[in-house]
């Protein structure tokens, strides 16, 4: 049963004319599905309703066709045709008593309008401020445009009501929403009654909210989402101005939704931001208004949540990522099952679904965005098939998730791990600078396995094919992982890097296993995710003089998708790492490396005592191949299936491994679907002609 300390989290609270059943507030978050995958997005929200959230929001919804953010896939409410998809979403959100919220976004200076080809409109003219520096400028809204825009907001509000939503969030945060563009002197340089003083810059928000209140305010709560600080210096909408704005407009919306800075700042990964990182910026704001306040901070600890409410800092606990990692977080607190919470690790893989316009995944919750596509529920597994047991070889994220999910299905599971501790790559990577929270991938699963009567875990148990064949398990799941290559094969080099002389070469595995270089060290990064940057940071901490070279124009290039590339670059500069971009490794020499320019091929030389090769990984397939070679012995050994999953199948990020483990567990003993698509999808309905 629930610990009474957490009772405060379950107190109802009004937001304008509607009442939230508790303080768990899923703030808007993208999912890479949006208008392309409406039922997948709706079901994902519906599962959160089941998980006990009091308030559930959509991702940003483009409320008018004159402002859209193609290629990013969010929701659209451009005309009545869009209502049915949103009605499905609202209905799923409300299915267990949550309030359904829609976030209306007019992207202004952030919307390049690639799809609609409309000229973007913004408070002041200027280049579109997107991630990709699009060569498009916005025109300044004139008075007629502002009148039109107010009407479009009212139309969108009426459509939102028709779709069944209870709440509307007006987006003015992260540099993405027009309310911020009006409020900030950086993006509002008007000289009329909408520009200049803070009162004038607030006018647009006041007018829109008044219009909407008149149109739908009797039944819908209206919230305004602003960033606590625009964090762009003096010109920006600073924390002090945010406070002045709220004080000046105390009761403007029915709730103040306080996000932070740019999206990178608001969704900072655990490598750079702690839980409740925004606390100092929020504190005291609630006293400036009579309306409730919600704020975010990657909250996963109920004690921190309670502190936020009891200290008068927040009224609602805003969560995006924690609600993705565990859609049942509120329910687990309510049922006194704190230790069952699957805590977000702050890796931002979920965000990459939006950034790559694919569909989101979550490292911790492999069912995210598969609730409708595959019918996967985060808390319930499909019934057990007709075999009885599984031997999982390897206890990395793939093996552990397979074991957890298999045990829930009812299989007897044995996990064999060659090393002395479970966790595979995560057991090692969690010790790297800034990555300790990633250990939750192991901790959560280790605890869950410990609670199950049908799982045995064996460490120091490196298995051979002979042993596997002698054990008598019906199913063998090979999750033996991968090792980093020392020969440099990755993207620049499809065959080993030429070696012209002797130089000590280290792989990430060497370093994680405690074999460290010393002196002048070059880290060569042709992997482009976090590992090169993290090792450069670690080695600088250990006193090495580190130069990081990469063929890319960015350090840790792919982390642009996890919103941490800028923070990584800043940290490396602060650590004294010398960064050399657009530069490859041509050959290894005695006493240094030969480099080549990514564009011209021009050769250079960097003297060093050691080279750290962050290239690609090679799957550890030895056991699998040995078993396959002896397939004719399987039947006598009682073996029905042998499968290879995770990094052993094909190396990828940790989220790919937990997904592979979960999928294996779901699909064991299920009918072969042949050539059929392994998930449901929606196809745009063709027009009549
Ligand atoms: P993944 O990301 O796919 O889960 P990891 O590399 O994290 O892969 O984990 C694989 C684990 O498998 C490692 O901890 C490794 O020690 C273990 N392992 C590899 N080969 C064997 C084997 N033959 N027997 C038992 N464990 C093994
Ligand atoms: Fe958290 Fe990572 Fe899952 Fe996103 S992908 S919710 S950051 S664990």
């Amino acid at each position: 049963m629930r610990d009474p300390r957490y009772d405060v989290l379950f107190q109802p609270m009004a937001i304008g004319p509607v009442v939230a059943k508790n303080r768990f507030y899923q703030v808007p978050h993208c999912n890479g599905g949006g208008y392309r995958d409406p039922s997948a997005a709706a079901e994902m929200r519906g599962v959160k309703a089941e998980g006990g959230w009091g308030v559930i929001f959509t991702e940003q919804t483009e409320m008018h066709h004159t402002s859209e953010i193609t290629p990013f896939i969010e929701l659209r409410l451009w005309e009545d045709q869009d209502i049915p998809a949103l009605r499905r979403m609202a209905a799923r959100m409300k299915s267990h008593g949550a309030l359904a919220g829609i976030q209306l976004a007019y992207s202004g200076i952030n919307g390049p309008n690639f799809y609609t080809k409309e000229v973007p409109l913004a408070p002041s003219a200027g280049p579109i401020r997107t991630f990709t520096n699009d060569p498009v400028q916005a025109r300044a809204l004139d008075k007629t445009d502002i009148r039109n825009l107010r009407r479009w907001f009212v139309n969108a509000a009426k459509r939102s009501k028709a779709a069944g939503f209870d709440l509307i969030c007006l987006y003015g945060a992260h540099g993405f929403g027009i309310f911020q563009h009006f409020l900030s002197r950086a993006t509002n340089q008007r000289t009329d009654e909408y520009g200049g003083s803070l009162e004038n810059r607030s006018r647009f928000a006041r007018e829109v909210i008044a219009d909407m209140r008149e149109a739908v305010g009797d039944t819908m709560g209206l919230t305004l989402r602003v960033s606590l600080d625009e964090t762009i210096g003096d010109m920006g909408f600073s924390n002090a101005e945010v406070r002045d704005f709220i004080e000046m407009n105390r009761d403007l919306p029915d709730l103040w939704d306080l996000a932070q800075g740019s999206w990178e700042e608001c969704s900072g990964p655990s490598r750079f931001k702690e839980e409740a990182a925004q606390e100092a910026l929020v504190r005291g704001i609630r006293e400036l208004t009579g309306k409730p306040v919600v704020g975010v901070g990657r909250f996963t600890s109920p004690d921190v949540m309670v502190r936020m409410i009891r200290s008068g800092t927040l009224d609602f606990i805003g969560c995006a990522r924690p609600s993705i990692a565990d859609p049942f977080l509120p329910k687990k607190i309510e049922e006194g099952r704190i230790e069952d919470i699957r805590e977000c690790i702050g890796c931002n893989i979920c965000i990459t679904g939006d950034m790559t316009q694919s569909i989101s995944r979550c490292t911790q919750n492999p069912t995210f965005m598969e609730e409708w596509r595959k019918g996967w529920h985060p808390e319930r597994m499909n019934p057990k098939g007709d075999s009885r047991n599984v031997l999982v070889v390897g206890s990395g994220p793939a093996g552990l998730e397979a074991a957890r999910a298999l045990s829930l299905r009812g299989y007897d599971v044995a996990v064999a791990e060659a090393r002395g501790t479970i966790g595979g790559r995560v057991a090692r990577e969690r010790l790297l600078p800034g990555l300790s929270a990633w250990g939750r991938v192991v901790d959560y699963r280790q605890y869950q396995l410990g609670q199950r009567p049908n799982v045995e875990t064996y460490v120091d148990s490196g298995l051979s094919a002979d042993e596997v064949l002698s054990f008598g398990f019906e199913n063998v799941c090979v999750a033996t992982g991968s090792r980093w290559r020392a020969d440099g094969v990755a993207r620049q080099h499809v065959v080993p890097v030429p070696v012209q002389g002797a130089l000590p070469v280290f792989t990430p595995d060497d370093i994680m296993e405690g074999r460290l270089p010393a002196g002048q060290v070059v880290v060569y990064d042709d992997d482009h995710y976090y590992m090169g940057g993290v090792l450069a940071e670690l080695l600088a901490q250990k006193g090495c003089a580190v130069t990081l070279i990469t063929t890319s124009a960015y350090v840790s290039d792919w982390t642009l998708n996890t919103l941490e590339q800028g923070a990584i670059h800043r940290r490396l500069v602060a650590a004294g790492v010398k960064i050399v971009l657009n530069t490859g490794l041509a050959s290894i020499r005695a006493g240094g490396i030969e480099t080549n320019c990514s564009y011209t091929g021009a050769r250079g030389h960097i003297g060093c005592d050691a080279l750290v090769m962050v290239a690609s990984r090679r799957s550890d397939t030895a056991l699998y191949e040995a078993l396959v070679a002896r397939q004719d012995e399987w039947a006598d050994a009682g073996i029905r299936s042998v499968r290879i999953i995770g990094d052993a199948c094909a190396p990828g990020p940790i989220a790919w491994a937990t997904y592979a483990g979960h999928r294996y567990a779901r699909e064991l003993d299920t009918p072969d679907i042949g050539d059929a698509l392994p998930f449901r999808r929606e196809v745009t309905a063709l027009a009549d002609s």
Side-chain angles (χ1 to χ4, degrees):
M1 269 298 97
R2 177 167 96 212
D3 185 327
R5 273 184 305 164
Y6 305 138
D7 285 353
V8 69
L9 299 172
F10 292 88
Q11 286 168 1
M13 180 164 243
I15 306 174
V18 293
V19 179
K21 67 175 179 178
N22 62 35
R23 306 304 179 89
F24 295 95
Y25 191 112
Q26 183 245 272
V27 290
H29 69 73
C30 59
N31 50 69
Y35 66 79
R36 186 194 53 208
D37 298 289
S39 293
E43 190 57 26
M44 176 267 290
R45 307 285 182 200
V47 163
K48 297 200 203 198
E50 195 189 336
W53 297 83
V55 175
I56 303 173
F57 266 92
T58 63
E59 60 269 46
Q60 77 176 75
T61 306
E62 295 168 349
M63 46 73 68
H64 195 258
H65 67 271
T66 53
S67 187
E68 45 93 7
I69 57 167
T70 307
F72 299 98
I73 297 175
E74 316 296 330
L75 291 171
R76 287 179 174 160
L77 186 50
W78 292 351
E79 52 181 339
D80 289 349
Q81 268 198 85
D82 294 310
I83 292 175
L86 289 163
R87 187 176 287 133
R88 176 168 297 180
M89 172 102 55
R92 293 297 293 120
M93 289 168 166
K94 286 160 54 154
S95 57
H96 290 79
L99 294 178
I102 181 167
Q103 184 182 45
L104 296 183
Y106 194 87
S107 300
I109 201 73
N110 188 250
N113 294 353
F114 290 147
Y115 182 80
T116 60
K117 304 184 183 176
E118 297 288 342
V119 173
L121 295 167
S124 294
I128 291 297
R129 296 160 77 89
T130 42
F131 292 113
T132 37
N133 298 321
D134 305 310
V136 178
Q137 297 208 180
R139 167 172 81 71
L141 291 148
D142 63 22
K143 293 289 173 51
T144 309
D145 297 321
I146 290 179
R147 270 197 302 279
N148 289 341
L149 184 50
R150 286 174 56 182
R151 189 178 64 254
W152 299 337
F153 267 107
V154 169
N155 291 343
K158 289 179 178 163
R159 288 189 175 116
S160 302
K161 182 171 173 167
F165 289 98
D166 305 300
L167 296 167
I168 291 176
C169 168
L170 297 173
Y171 199 15
H174 304 146
F176 293 162
I178 192 135
F179 297 94
Q180 178 178 337
H181 306 156
F182 268 102
L183 286 165
S184 166
R185 279 167 298 164
T187 43
N188 179 353
Q189 293 166 17
R190 301 176 72 97
T191 52
D192 62 4
E193 67 270 33
Y194 290 96
S197 67
L198 179 58
E199 191 180 351
N200 280 357
R201 283 180 277 130
S202 318
R203 187 177 311 280
F204 180 72
R206 283 200 306 274
E207 288 179 347
V208 171
I209 292 179
D211 295 344
M212 291 176 90
R213 211 178 274 297
E214 199 182 314
V216 299
D218 54 335
T219 56
M220 298 184 80
L222 305 176
T223 80
L224 180 60
R225 188 160 221 220
V226 292
S227 285
L228 284 161
D229 193 316
E230 198 179 358
T231 63
I232 57 165
D234 290 346
M235 285 292 282
F237 194 44
S238 66
N239 190 247
E241 252 203 337
V242 169
R243 286 167 193 262
D244 290 345
F245 168 64
I246 293 176
E247 198 168 16
M248 190 185 280
N249 298 283
R250 281 179 62 83
D251 295 337
L252 180 63
D254 295 318
L255 171 143
W256 294 98
D257 179 345
L258 303 173
Q260 166 55 2
S262 61
W263 192 20
E264 288 89 330
E265 281 149 332
C266 198
S267 294
S270 55
R271 186 170 164 191
F272 299 101
K273 291 227 167 162
E274 296 295 323
E275 182 171 359
Q278 273 103 256
E279 190 172 353
L281 290 170
V282 186
R283 207 177 296 126
I285 289 187
R286 193 164 161 276
E287 286 141 41
L288 306 175
T289 168
K291 301 293 181 175
V293 168
V294 63
V296 289
R298 203 165 18 81
F299 297 116
T300 55
S301 149
D303 293 307
V304 175
M305 296 176 190
V306 167
R307 179 163 61 77
M308 287 292 154
I309 293 192
R310 289 228 180 275
S311 64
T313 310
L314 298 175
D315 297 290
F316 286 96
I317 303 302
C319 296
R321 290 169 292 173
S323 77
I324 292 172
D326 197 341
F328 275 61
L329 190 153
K331 193 145 237 174
K332 288 175 182 174
I333 298 174
E334 190 169 21
E335 293 175 352
R337 297 167 50 213
I338 305 299
E339 55 294 325
D340 287 334
I341 294 173
R342 195 167 42 238
E343 288 182 289
C344 167
I345 70 166
C347 61
N348 283 3
I349 280 291
C350 47
I351 288 169
T352 70
D354 186 62
M355 295 296 283
T356 59
Q357 301 97 45
S358 44
I359 199 162
S360 288
R361 336 177 161 234
C362 169
T363 302
Q364 280 284 62
N365 173 14
T367 68
F368 181 55
M369 290 310 282
E370 302 301 340
E371 302 88 347
W372 180 85
R373 292 208 312 174
K374 286 180 177 273
W376 289 0
H377 188 279
E379 299 296 310
R380 287 192 295 276
M381 292 296 294
N382 42 333
K384 192 175 136 310
D386 59 2
S387 63
R388 282 169 295 130
N389 53 39
V390 186
L391 171 64
V392 176
V393 187
S395 69
L400 287 181
E401 176 60 17
R404 186 194 74 85
L406 286 164
S407 79
L408 285 181
R409 275 189 75 189
Y411 291 92
D412 289 331
V413 184
V415 181
E417 167 55 52
R419 291 173 182 258
T421 47
I422 67 160
R425 60 184 288 193
V426 176
R428 298 194 291 279
E429 291 183 28
R430 71 186 300 175
L431 304 176
L432 293 170
L435 302 189
S436 62
W438 292 20
R440 293 170 172 183
V441 171
V442 177
D443 297 342
Y444 164 72
R445 291 173 175 81
Q446 186 165 19
Y447 176 79
Q448 294 299 317
L449 295 184
Q451 302 306 301
R452 307 286 313 165
N454 54 346
V455 184
E456 299 288 345
T457 305
Y458 303 92
V459 292
D460 295 317
S461 303
L463 298 186
S464 63
D466 276 339
E467 285 165 314
V468 172
L469 285 163
S470 71
F471 287 159
F473 283 91
E474 288 171 281
N475 304 290
V476 181
C477 172
V478 179
T480 45
S482 62
R483 302 281 294 171
W484 287 90
R485 298 179 72 124
D487 60 6
V489 169
R491 297 175 171 90
Q492 184 190 359
H493 294 280
V494 292
V495 294
V497 175
V499 180
Q500 317 281 6
L503 182 73
V505 174
F506 294 79
T507 66
D509 290 316
D510 290 326
I511 293 170
M512 288 189 280
E513 285 158 14
R515 294 185 292 280
L516 295 182
Q520 308 260 359
V521 177
V522 169
V523 175
Y524 166 64
D525 186 4
D526 196 22
D527 168 61
H528 307 287
Y529 191 18
Y530 56 90
M531 188 56 81
V534 167
L535 292 185
E537 185 182 341
L538 173 77
L539 294 173
Q541 277 175 11
K542 301 271 181 201
C544 299
V546 181
T547 302
L548 186 152
I549 73 166
T550 176
T551 50
S552 170
Y554 294 94
V555 167
S556 300
D557 191 342
W558 200 75
T559 64
L560 286 164
N561 296 312
T562 51
L563 305 182
E564 57 189 327
Q565 194 280 328
I568 292 172
H569 192 115
R570 277 191 292 282
R571 179 159 291 179
L572 293 188
V573 170
V577 172
K578 186 173 173 208
I579 295 169
V580 181
L581 303 172
N582 301 316
T583 302
L585 169 65
S587 67
I588 296 170
R589 308 263 160 150
I593 58 162
E594 187 190 16
T595 62
N596 50 8
C597 169
S598 298
Y599 293 103
T600 65
R603 299 289 163 134
H605 182 268
I606 301 176
C608 60
D609 303 310
L611 173 65
V612 177
M613 197 73 96
V614 187
S616 65
R617 286 176 285 155
R618 204 195 298 268
S619 293
D620 184 346
T621 57
L623 175 64
Y624 178 73
E625 281 167 15
L627 288 170
V628 169
R630 295 170 66 178
Q631 193 155 0
D632 52 357
E633 296 171 48
W634 291 6
D636 286 348
I639 293 178
R640 293 164 56 148
S641 74
V642 176
R643 285 274 314 279
I644 185 165
I645 66 162
D647 288 339
C649 174
I654 297 166
W656 273 242
T658 50
Y659 178 86
H662 195 85
R663 182 174 184 180
Y664 172 83
R666 289 270 175 189
E667 294 180 355
L668 185 67
D669 289 336
T670 58
D672 184 354
I673 61 166
D675 291 346
L677 193 68
F679 54 85
R680 288 202 280 173
R681 66 190 269 261
E682 280 165 323
V683 179
T684 308
L686 277 183
D688 291 340
S689 59

